[in-house]
């Protein structure tokens, strides 16, 4: 057996009040894919960030090619042939696709001025985007104008453009469609065949089963065991991660009540030529399915008032909502859990307590003075209910794992007694244990009469949680599926544009 290309021994990393990694060891051999699994907060992302030069270990050693190395920063990691695709997007919104891919490594033309060779940058960037199957996005496009899925593909193209020997991938498919995911998985296998070693984090265990040569599990910042290729099964991975089995779920059986939300001929800014009409009832979970770019998030943002509608009506409990007013939506009991939690769902520099109580400070105030004790009590209660893993509610949200950040977003709206809760990709980047907790919360909300609108690109999630499915394609609703009609084939047929007549 060849010597390991990468070897970690006893790596420990501490943050204020948190032991993120405790004596973790890992070996990665040339040309293999090692899947790193574990619940949110287990230390997976911290381990990759330590390898990628974002963090430095407090104890332990890292060896590459059998030689001890010190990775002081991202430049060191790149010099050692380590490429990193982060879970949270790491792009510059105001820079074009080519500029993001070659940021800091721009080729220059000859001559005393050493001007950037823009022609070469765009030609090379187009080649890497094509390798990912993306030919519809020009390399001159501003990245901030692209959907999240395409922004993620730019990140992947950037990693591929480097002379990478060890590729770290932290939830790379979390925002991708099924076809884009298959493309990426094929690329990882091609890279492995070329001798590239890959450390791959994904909560989609089907992906792990498809591509991983070995599995290494972390639990509470420590090694929890490993699996060889022939041992990799869904049940074995779940047992390593959480110590219990999580069974496949069937949709909740709550009986919907009266209509809460009525959307009539709604036209969004992105698709002003398409009308969208549907209803949501008390106590039901309605899944919104479709490919990336279908317009689901735009509908959600328009209902919540983030975007002004190009036309149509939004009626909540019989009253028409004013256009483009989140305050009016919140007053009516409509709350949105956005797709990008870090950018639009949280103030990451604030504490857990501050984020939870921020939308309703009036509830914690008297005569203009904030009741700190009441704030702490309420935020602690909600943190316990949602099982937020943190040392204290005074911990800053930016230091939480992705799944725990999502729970904080949920907690701040749970304090306000919602009537309609819109979940946009509620479990993106969240482990199987935390997913089950969020699904239980959705069902509890429905049982208590809350209408739940769930936008998801996870087919298993849509089929497992929805009592009814609305499928969108290019800004319009292509069909409605009642529970007996729901199947992956039926959803995908509508998602690719095969419209069918159906009643709301």
């Amino acid at each position: 057996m060849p010597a390991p290309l990468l070897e970690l021994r006893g790596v420990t990393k501490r943050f204020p009040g948190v032991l993120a990694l405790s004596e973790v060891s890992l070996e990665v051999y040339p040309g293999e894919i090692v899947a790193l699994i574990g619940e949110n907060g287990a230390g997976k992302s911290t381990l990759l960030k330590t390898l990628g030069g974002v963090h430095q270990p407090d104890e332990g050693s890292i060896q590459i090619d059998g030689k001890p190395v010190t990775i002081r920063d991202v430049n060191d990691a790149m010099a050692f042939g380590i490429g990193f695709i982060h879970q949270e997007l790491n792009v510059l919104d105001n820079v074009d696709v080519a500029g993001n891919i070659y940021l800091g490594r721009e080729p220059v033309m000859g001559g005393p001025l050493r001007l950037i060779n823009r022609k070469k940058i765009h030609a090379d960037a187009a080649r890497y985007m094509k390798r990912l199957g993306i030919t519809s996005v020009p390399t001159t496009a501003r990245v901030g104008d692209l959907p999240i899925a395409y922004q993620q593909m730019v990140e992947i193209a950037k990693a591929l453009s480097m002379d990478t020997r060890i590729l770290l991938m932290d939830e790379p498919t979390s925002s991708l469609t099924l076809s884009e995911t298959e493309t990426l998985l094929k690329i990882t296998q091609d890279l492995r065949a070329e001798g590239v070693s890959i450390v791959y984090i994904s909560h989609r265990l089907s992906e792990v089963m498809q591509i991983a040569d070995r599995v290494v599990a972390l639990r509470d910042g420590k090694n929890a065991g490993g699996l060889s290729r022939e041992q990799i099964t869904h049940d074995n991975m779940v047992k390593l991660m959480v110590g219990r089995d999580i069974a496949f779920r069937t949709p909740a059986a709550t009986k919907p009540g009266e209509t809460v939300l009525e959307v009539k001929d709604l036209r969004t800014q992105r698709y002003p030529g398409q009308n969208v009409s549907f209803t949501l009832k008390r106590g039901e979970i309605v899944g919104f399915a479709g490919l990336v770019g279908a317009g689901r998030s735009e509908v959600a943002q328009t209902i919540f008032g983030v975007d002004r509608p190009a036309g149509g009506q939004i009626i909540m409990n019989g009253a028409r909502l004013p256009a483009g007013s989140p305050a009016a939506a919140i007053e009516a009991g409509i709350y949105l859990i956005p797709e990008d939690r870090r950018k639009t769902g949280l103030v990451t520099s604030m504490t857990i307590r501050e984020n939870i109580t921020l939308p309703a400070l009036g509830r914690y105030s008297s005569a203009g003075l904030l009741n700190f004790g009441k704030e702490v009590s309420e935020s602690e209660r909600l943190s316990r209910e949602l099982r937020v893993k943190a040392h204290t509610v005074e911990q800053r949200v930016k230091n939480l794992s992705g799944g725990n950040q999502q729970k904080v977003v949920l907690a701040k709206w749970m304090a306000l007694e919602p009537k309609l809760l819109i979940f946009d990709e509620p479990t993106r980047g969240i482990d199987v244990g935390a997913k089950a907790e969020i699904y239980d919360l959705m069902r509890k909300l429905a049982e208590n009469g809350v209408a739940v609108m769930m936008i998801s690109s996870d087919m298993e999630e849509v089929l497992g949680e929805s009592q009814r499915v609305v499928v969108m394609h290019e800004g319009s609703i292509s069909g409605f599926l009642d529970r007996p009609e729901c199947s992956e084939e039926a959803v995908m047929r509508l998602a690719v544009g095969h419209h069918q007549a159906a009643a709301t």
Side-chain angles (χ1 to χ4, degrees):
M1 190 171 186
L5 172 59
L6 171 68
E7 189 172 6
L8 285 74
R9 285 286 174 262
V11 170
T12 296
K13 179 62 184 176
R14 300 180 182 87
F15 297 105
V18 178
L19 179 61
L21 297 174
S22 178
E23 298 183 352
V24 172
S25 296
L26 174 70
E27 294 179 350
V28 181
Y29 291 88
E32 75 163 350
I33 299 175
V34 177
L36 195 61
I37 64 172
E39 293 192 271
N40 285 105
K44 306 182 302 297
S45 294
T46 300
L47 184 60
L48 290 201
K49 288 178 180 178
T50 301
L51 285 172
V54 179
H55 303 316
Q56 288 71 48
D58 296 312
E59 299 168 17
S61 64
I62 301 173
Q63 294 187 359
I64 296 177
D65 291 326
K67 300 176 182 178
V69 298
T70 299
I71 305 175
R72 294 163 298 189
D73 53 32
V74 175
N75 289 330
D76 277 353
M78 291 170 57
F80 289 123
I82 299 174
F84 196 170
I85 299 170
H86 293 262
Q87 177 180 357
E88 302 296 344
L89 294 175
N90 191 26
V91 295
L92 296 181
D93 290 350
N94 61 336
V95 176
D96 64 24
V97 169
N100 268 278
I101 291 174
Y102 282 95
L103 187 67
R105 302 177 294 119
E106 298 87 350
V108 296
M109 297 183 287
L113 297 180
R114 296 185 60 78
L115 299 174
I116 293 174
N117 190 336
R118 300 293 300 175
K119 183 176 181 180
K120 179 174 174 55
I121 286 179
H122 285 281
D124 290 348
R127 186 172 72 252
Y128 287 110
M129 292 294 284
K130 184 177 180 180
R131 185 175 177 184
L132 293 173
I134 306 297
T135 57
S136 60
V137 177
T139 58
T140 55
R142 181 179 173 273
V143 168
D145 295 332
L146 301 178
I148 287 180
Y150 291 121
Q151 293 184 28
Q152 180 75 302
M153 293 304 242
V154 171
E155 285 269 75
I156 295 167
K158 179 178 180 178
L160 293 178
S161 71
M162 301 176 185
D163 187 16
T164 298
R165 301 172 63 205
I166 302 166
L167 184 59
L168 313 176
M169 308 180 80
D170 192 353
E171 297 288 353
T173 65
S174 59
S175 297
L176 305 185
T177 65
L178 291 174
S179 61
E180 289 165 345
T181 295
E182 286 301 316
T183 298
L184 178 64
L185 297 182
K186 173 66 165 57
I187 288 168
T188 62
Q189 293 166 320
D190 290 344
L191 291 171
R192 173 179 58 189
E194 295 169 8
V196 176
S197 299
I198 298 171
V199 183
Y200 191 95
I201 294 177
S202 178
H203 293 307
R204 296 178 178 178
L205 299 186
S206 59
E207 295 177 8
V208 174
M209 289 189 285
Q210 183 175 339
I211 67 171
D213 298 304
R214 282 190 298 120
V215 165
V216 173
L218 297 182
R219 189 187 309 153
D220 297 326
K222 301 176 182 178
N223 286 102
L227 300 170
S228 61
R229 176 64 201 172
E230 57 273 13
Q231 296 172 319
I232 298 174
T233 66
H234 183 278
D235 289 347
N236 285 344
M237 287 189 285
V238 169
K239 287 175 183 177
L240 281 181
M241 291 167 63
V242 299
R244 65 185 187 275
D245 293 312
I246 297 178
F248 181 76
R249 300 162 64 90
T250 55
T254 56
K255 186 176 180 180
E258 68 274 11
T259 296
V260 172
L261 177 76
E262 186 175 5
V263 174
K264 291 184 176 180
D265 299 322
L266 183 67
R267 292 183 285 121
T268 64
Q269 293 292 334
R270 184 176 181 186
Y271 292 104
Q274 301 285 4
N275 292 332
V276 173
S277 299
F278 62 89
T279 60
L280 297 178
K281 301 179 184 299
R282 289 184 72 250
E284 71 170 347
I285 300 174
V286 179
F288 276 66
L291 303 179
V292 170
R296 298 166 299 164
S297 294
E298 287 79 4
V299 168
Q301 289 167 1
T302 304
I303 292 171
F304 188 60
V306 175
D307 298 334
R308 290 186 64 85
Q313 300 178 43
I314 301 167
I315 301 169
M316 183 68 180
N317 287 328
R320 182 173 177 177
L321 293 181
S325 174
I330 291 172
E331 182 67 23
I334 302 173
Y335 307 129
L336 170 66
I337 297 163
E339 179 181 11
D340 192 334
R341 54 181 169 260
R342 287 182 65 88
K343 286 188 177 180
T344 55
L346 296 165
V347 182
T348 57
S349 61
M350 286 185 172
T351 65
I352 295 170
R353 169 185 57 81
E354 289 169 327
N355 271 277
I356 290 175
T357 60
L358 184 61
L361 288 176
R363 293 191 172 202
Y364 310 100
S365 303
S366 178
L369 297 176
L370 194 62
N371 187 329
F372 179 74
K374 189 175 181 181
E375 258 198 309
V376 171
S377 175
E378 182 69 357
S379 57
E380 286 181 343
R381 179 185 70 81
L382 288 165
S383 293
R384 283 195 304 271
E385 286 185 6
L386 295 179
R387 299 181 186 178
V388 177
K389 292 183 180 179
H391 183 66
T392 168
V393 293
E394 299 308 315
Q395 185 171 333
R396 296 197 182 279
V397 168
K398 65 182 179 182
N399 294 326
L400 298 179
S401 66
N404 286 303
Q405 288 179 351
Q406 184 75 319
K407 290 179 182 179
V408 174
V409 181
L410 288 170
K412 75 174 185 180
W413 293 133
M414 290 300 297
L416 296 179
E417 302 173 359
K419 296 181 176 62
L420 166 62
L421 200 52
I422 304 172
F423 291 80
D424 194 351
E425 301 292 354
T427 64
R428 183 170 74 89
I430 293 178
D431 64 71
V432 290
K435 279 186 178 182
E437 293 171 1
I438 289 175
Y439 297 153
D440 287 340
L441 173 62
M442 285 186 189
R443 294 181 179 214
K444 187 180 295 183
L445 288 166
E447 289 169 1
N448 291 333
V450 177
V452 176
M453 175 179 174
M454 180 186 70
I455 299 168
S456 178
S457 299
D458 186 328
M459 187 66 72
E460 184 175 318
E461 184 166 275
V462 169
L463 298 179
E465 298 304 316
S466 306
Q467 295 160 288
R468 189 161 56 97
V469 176
V470 179
V471 187
M472 295 190 65
H473 173 74
E474 294 185 352
S476 68
I477 292 175
S478 52
F480 298 84
L481 297 172
D482 290 327
R483 185 63 232 168
E485 305 170 294
C486 286
S487 68
E488 183 170 342
E489 292 76 14
V491 171
M492 286 307 300
R493 180 177 175 81
L494 294 171
V496 296
H498 293 276
H499 288 248
Q500 66 175 203
T504 60

